């Protein structure tokens, strides 16, 4: 059967739903709802938006609800998540699938979201990030077993789905522990009460590095840089972009050394450690790095852990914060223990992070197991 035989046309998410529009909406003081986009999973809420928000163009956002499926159209194109009764918003990197009235005894939406996900993921065209057009979705045919068989298979998968829910709870508990503030006694120091500006420097972002600009440049076949922003989760990253000129200036990039992403807006003051790679950022974040010739040896993971509250203290507020980079570098002083003691603290946190990674690997294996069941 074809898509439009059983589904309504896909309702695309809100266009021009920029970071500025999202942050502005948080000042409305009314109900906040989850905001999803082109990420792999739409079950965990990473961002929220006011239910009365408006796009950058001043258009009230569409609020989605009822039974249906969120499908990613860019980024993790083809990824699907079943929703039954949640209110939420989408940006234009995702769409919402609903059933035609005459197909309610033909398609179980939850079944479709699980077993047709790989079908649509493989359909996505990769060019910096995967994309999936509505034309592609509507044109391809797919097969489904009888409605009763769909229901029976879902019933058999209850055990696996329960395990996935338990894993998600456990993962959130570990994340809670990582976020807890700790007190550590060090024995040896490289220096005490050191101005952070003497050993740490930063790179600011590229103004104008919007989603629209990114898509316009993806046809360039040059080497790509991962785009970082105020999103600190891998699932909410903005994709990649080739070297280009933006606002009559060469794109600012960060490569060849470790860094520390610090968010300027939204979850202001939150950090994410960056392994050596190829990065660029928009103007909603900074990248910190150890200065060349620094008299102190510093592990950036340690800095993020030990001075987490200092980073957060320079955010203007918790809901719509702006991180005060100037104040942070002007007034922050740090005590720098010997490098081995820094690594000892990092190791303790790494144990928690490794367990989170292990849980995510198990979740992926369960997802593969579910996919094999249909075969």
């Amino acid at each position: 059967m074809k898509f439009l035989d059983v589904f309504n046309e896909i309702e695309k998410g809100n266009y021009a739903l920029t970071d500025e529009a999202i942050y502005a909406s948080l000042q409305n003081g009314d109900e906040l709802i989850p905001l999803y986009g082109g990420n792999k999973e739409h079950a965990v809420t990473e961002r929220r938006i006011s239910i009365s928000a408006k796009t950058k163009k001043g258009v009230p956002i569409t609020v989605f609800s009822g039974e249906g499926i969120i499908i990613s159209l860019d980024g993790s194109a083809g990824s699907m998540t079943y929703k039954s009764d949640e209110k939420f918003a989408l940006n234009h990197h995702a769409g919402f699938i609903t059933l035609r009235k005459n197909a309610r005894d033909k398609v179980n939406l939850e079944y479709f979201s699980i077993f047709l996900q790989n079908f649509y993921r493989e359909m996505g065209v990769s060019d910096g990030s995967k994309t999936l057009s509505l034309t592609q979705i509507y044109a391809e045919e797919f097969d489904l077993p009888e409605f009763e068989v769909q229901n029976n298979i879902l019933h058999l998968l209850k055990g696996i789905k329960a395990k996935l829910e338990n894993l998600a709870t456990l993962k959130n508990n570990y994340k809670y522990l990582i976020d807890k503030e700790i007190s550590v006694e060090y024995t040896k120091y490289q220096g005490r009460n050191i101005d952070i500006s003497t050993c740490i420097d930063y790179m600011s972002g590229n103004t104008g590095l919007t989603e629209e600009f990114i898509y316009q440049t993806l046809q360039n076949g040059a080497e790509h840089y991962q785009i970082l922003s105020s999103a600190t989760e891998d699932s909410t990253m903005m994709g990649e972009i080739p070297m280009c000129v933006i606002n009559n200036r060469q794109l600012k990039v960060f490569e060849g050394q470790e860094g520390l992403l610090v968010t300027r807006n939204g979850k202001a003051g939150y950090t994410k450690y960056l392994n050596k790679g190829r990065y660029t950022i928009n103007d909603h974040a900074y990248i910190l790095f150890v200065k060349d010739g620094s008299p102190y040896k510093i592990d950036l993971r340690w800095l993020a852990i030990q001075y987490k509250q200092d980073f957060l203290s320079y955010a203007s507020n918790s809901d719509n914060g702006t991180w005060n980079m100037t104040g942070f570098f002007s007034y922050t002083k740090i005590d720098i223990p010997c490098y081995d003691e820094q690594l000892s603290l990092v190791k303790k946190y790494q144990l928690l992070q490794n367990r989170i990674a292990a849980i995510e690997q198990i979740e992926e294996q369960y997802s593969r197991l579910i996919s094999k069941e249909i075969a």
Side-chain angles (χ1 to χ4, degrees):
M1 63 181 70
K2 284 196 172 182
F3 188 92
L4 293 178
D5 292 340
V6 289
F7 296 111
N8 297 308
E9 291 188 4
I10 294 175
E11 297 177 81
K12 286 203 70 174
N14 298 277
Y15 190 74
L17 201 52
T18 61
D19 284 341
E20 289 85 353
I22 295 166
Y23 300 141
S25 82
L26 298 177
Q27 303 303 310
N28 293 348
D30 52 15
E31 181 183 357
L32 298 180
I33 57 175
L35 170 63
Y36 302 115
N39 46 311
K40 182 177 180 181
E41 184 180 353
H42 311 97
V44 178
T45 302
E46 298 294 344
R47 308 181 79 183
R48 291 185 179 273
I49 190 171
S50 166
I51 198 168
S52 62
K54 294 182 179 180
T55 70
K56 183 181 179 180
K57 299 183 181 298
V59 179
I61 65 167
T62 299
V63 176
F64 298 87
S65 62
E67 188 180 26
I69 300 168
I70 299 173
I71 182 168
S72 297
L73 302 173
D74 295 303
S76 297
S79 296
M80 295 193 288
T81 305
Y82 170 75
K83 296 291 182 181
S84 58
D85 55 6
E86 181 182 349
K87 284 191 295 186
F88 56 89
L90 299 174
N91 64 25
H92 71 281
H93 302 301
F96 194 51
I97 299 171
T98 56
L99 269 176
R100 293 184 181 274
K101 290 182 179 180
N102 61 0
R104 290 176 179 171
D105 59 350
K106 297 178 182 177
V107 181
N108 182 304
L109 283 169
E110 187 173 10
Y111 176 95
F112 188 90
S113 70
I114 293 172
F115 293 114
L116 271 295
Q117 183 167 234
N118 286 341
F119 176 75
Y120 289 106
R121 280 178 175 170
E122 292 171 2
M123 197 185 299
V125 176
S126 182
D127 188 3
S129 62
K130 299 194 76 174
T131 60
L132 185 62
S133 71
L134 299 189
T135 302
Q136 288 175 289
I137 295 173
Y138 297 159
E140 293 294 329
E141 296 189 11
F142 57 85
D143 294 320
L144 288 175
E146 294 295 326
F147 188 65
E148 184 178 357
V149 175
Q150 297 175 45
N151 293 334
N152 288 340
I153 291 175
L154 276 182
H155 179 75
L156 293 172
L157 292 176
K158 274 187 176 180
I160 292 179
K161 289 171 63 182
K163 287 182 172 64
L164 285 170
E165 290 172 2
N166 291 336
L167 286 169
T169 300
L170 183 59
K171 182 167 67 173
N172 286 335
N173 289 341
Y174 279 129
K175 287 184 175 180
Y176 173 77
L177 289 175
I178 286 177
D179 286 339
K180 295 290 285 183
E181 185 177 3
I182 64 165
S183 177
V184 179
E185 293 292 334
Y186 299 108
T187 59
K188 296 180 181 179
Y189 286 88
Q190 301 177 57
R192 303 290 294 264
N193 204 35
I194 305 299
D195 289 331
I196 197 167
S197 59
T198 63
C199 48
I200 301 294
D201 207 344
Y202 70 92
M203 183 184 101
S204 58
N206 296 274
T207 300
L209 190 55
T210 63
E211 291 168 338
E212 290 80 7
F213 180 84
I214 294 165
Y215 296 131
Q216 289 171 8
T217 63
L218 282 180
Q219 303 307 315
N220 187 329
E223 290 184 300
H224 286 68
Y225 292 85
Q226 183 180 353
I227 304 166
L228 306 176
S229 67
S230 58
T232 55
E233 295 293 328
D234 291 338
S235 61
T236 51
M237 295 302 175
M238 295 177 67
E240 297 181 335
I241 192 171
M243 178 56 72
C244 59
V245 174
I246 180 169
N247 289 333
N248 297 318
R249 295 182 178 181
Q250 192 82 349
L251 181 75
K252 289 191 284 186
V253 298
F254 183 83
E255 57 185 326
Q257 66 183 118
E258 299 169 335
L260 192 66
L261 179 74
V262 184
T263 60
R264 186 175 72 84
N265 297 112
K267 291 184 176 181
Y270 276 73
T271 61
K272 176 183 174 65
Y273 173 72
L274 304 173
N275 287 303
K276 289 182 180 179
R278 301 167 62 85
Y279 305 102
T280 188
I281 50 176
N282 65 13
D283 57 4
H284 296 291
Y286 300 98
I287 294 179
L288 274 57
F289 54 92
V290 179
K291 282 185 173 181
D292 288 338
S294 168
Y296 310 104
K297 194 172 183 180
I298 298 175
D299 187 290
L300 291 171
R301 296 168 297 180
W302 166 82
L303 182 67
I305 295 167
Q306 185 63 62
Y307 287 94
K308 178 177 181 178
Q309 293 307 315
D310 291 78
F311 279 102
L312 294 176
S313 69
Y314 283 91
S316 56
N317 63 66
S318 58
D319 287 332
N320 187 26
T322 299
W323 192 64
N324 184 349
M325 178 274 296
T326 302
F328 179 82
F329 275 93
S330 297
Y331 302 112
T332 301
K333 296 181 182 292
I334 61 175
D335 296 333
I336 308 173
C338 69
Y339 193 65
D340 286 344
E341 291 192 78
Q342 295 179 39
L343 295 183
S344 178
L345 177 62
V346 170
K347 185 176 180 181
K348 292 177 182 178
Y349 269 72
Q350 194 65 51
L351 288 173
L352 294 174
Q353 290 166 340
N354 288 345
R355 291 185 180 181
I356 291 173
I359 289 172
E360 290 175 342
Q361 187 176 28
I362 295 171
E363 289 175 328
E364 183 65 26
Q365 289 171 346
Y366 272 124
S367 297
R368 291 177 183 175
L369 177 61
I370 288 175
S371 298
K372 288 181 179 178
E373 289 292 330
I374 191 63

